[in-house]
Amino acid sequence: MTTPTQPGLSRVPPVQSRIRLDSSLRRWFARNLGLWRSRRTYFFTEDDAVLRVDMNLRIEVHSELVDGDEGYRFTWWAEGHQPFFDTKPDYRPEGTMEAWLCGHQLRRSCGYLAGAPTVSQIRQIDEHTMAFQSHYDDWEVLEQIRLVDQDRYRSRSIHTWRHGSLELVEHHHEIRLEAAGEPIG
C-alpha cells in the first residue's frame, strides 16, 4: 500500500529539534555535576600492563552560555602520590578542560591524550548512559558513561585505538563525594 502524497508535502520525516536534543543532554550532564572519586584501572595492550590510579574529578557548569551552548569545566587531580604517573609520564596527574555542549557534540578545549582541542560525537544509549566517540591525531576513543543507583555512582568504560589497533582499555568506578556547586563565572 502506498501513501498518497499531496503537492507541497514531503515524505521526509520531520527534523528533530535541537532544543529537544539539548534539553535531554543538558539534563544528563546536570546529573553528573559535582565532585567524584575515580578509581581507575588501565589495561595497556602493548606491554600487558595493568595499572591502577585514584583520582578526583570535579564537573562544573558555567553560568553563561557561549554562542548559545552550555559550557562545562572538568578538573582532575590525583589523590596523593600515585606511582602510575612515574610509570606513565605522558599522563597528567592534574588538569582542567573546558567543554561545550553543541547539539549532539561535546567540544573540548583539549583531549585527554592530546593537548589539541577535540570534538566528541554524543549518542544517548538510554536515560542513564551516554557514549562519546572522538578522533584526534592518531587516536580513536570510545567512552561510555553510565550513572548508577540514583546518580550516586558512575561507571566509565573507555576503549582507545591508535592506528586501528586497540592500545588501551580503561574502567573507572566513580563515587559522588559532593553534589553540584553553584555555576561558575
Side-chain angles (χ1 to χ4, degrees):
M1 178 174 154
T2 61
T3 305
T5 60
Q6 297 176 359
L9 296 180
S10 170
R11 285 194 260 172
V12 176
V15 175
Q16 291 286 332
S17 167
R18 177 176 170 172
I19 294 169
R20 181 170 179 235
L21 177 65
D22 278 355
S23 66
S24 176
L25 291 175
R26 284 181 178 154
R27 258 192 324 275
W28 186 84
F29 272 89
R31 293 170 59 195
N32 286 269
L33 298 176
L35 177 62
W36 299 86
R37 175 180 291 132
S38 183
R39 306 287 193 220
R40 302 175 179 192
T41 304
Y42 291 78
F43 302 93
F44 293 90
T45 60
E46 181 177 76
D47 54 7
D48 271 344
V50 177
L51 302 173
R52 290 176 176 71
V53 64
D54 293 335
M55 303 288 290
N56 289 299
L57 172 65
R58 183 177 302 280
I59 305 171
E60 301 168 287
V61 65
H62 286 279
S63 58
E64 301 289 327
L65 298 179
V66 176
D67 296 328
D69 298 318
E70 187 98 65
Y72 301 93
R73 177 175 294 154
F74 297 80
T75 307
W76 64 94
W77 63 95
E79 285 190 3
H81 175 74
Q82 298 284 319
F84 173 90
F85 299 104
D86 299 331
T87 306
K88 298 291 184 182
D90 290 340
Y91 287 79
R92 299 178 294 171
E94 61 185 30
T96 299
M97 174 180 59
E98 303 293 335
W100 300 269
L101 186 58
C102 309
H104 64 282
Q105 296 180 336
L106 186 66
R107 296 172 188 248
R108 306 175 196 217
S109 62
C110 62
Y112 289 113
L113 299 173
T118 63
V119 175
S120 298
Q121 300 299 319
I122 304 171
R123 183 170 53 91
Q124 185 167 5
I125 296 171
D126 60 33
E127 69 178 291
H128 305 292
T129 310
M130 294 288 175
F132 300 83
Q133 188 167 10
S134 309
H135 302 274
Y136 49 90
D137 296 336
D138 301 326
W139 301 97
E140 181 177 336
V141 180
L142 177 60
E143 176 178 15
Q144 290 186 358
I145 303 173
R146 181 168 184 81
L147 290 158
V148 181
D149 196 28
Q150 299 179 359
D151 305 342
R152 289 186 290 213
Y153 302 97
R154 290 183 357 142
S155 174
R156 293 171 62 199
S157 174
I158 306 166
H159 295 80
T160 304
W161 291 264
R162 189 171 193 184
H163 302 293
S165 296
L166 184 66
E167 286 208 2
L168 175 61
V169 177
E170 304 173 41
H171 294 288
H172 302 196
H173 175 71
E174 298 174 338
I175 301 167
R176 184 184 301 276
L177 300 178
E178 293 176 9
E182 291 297 315
I184 55 177

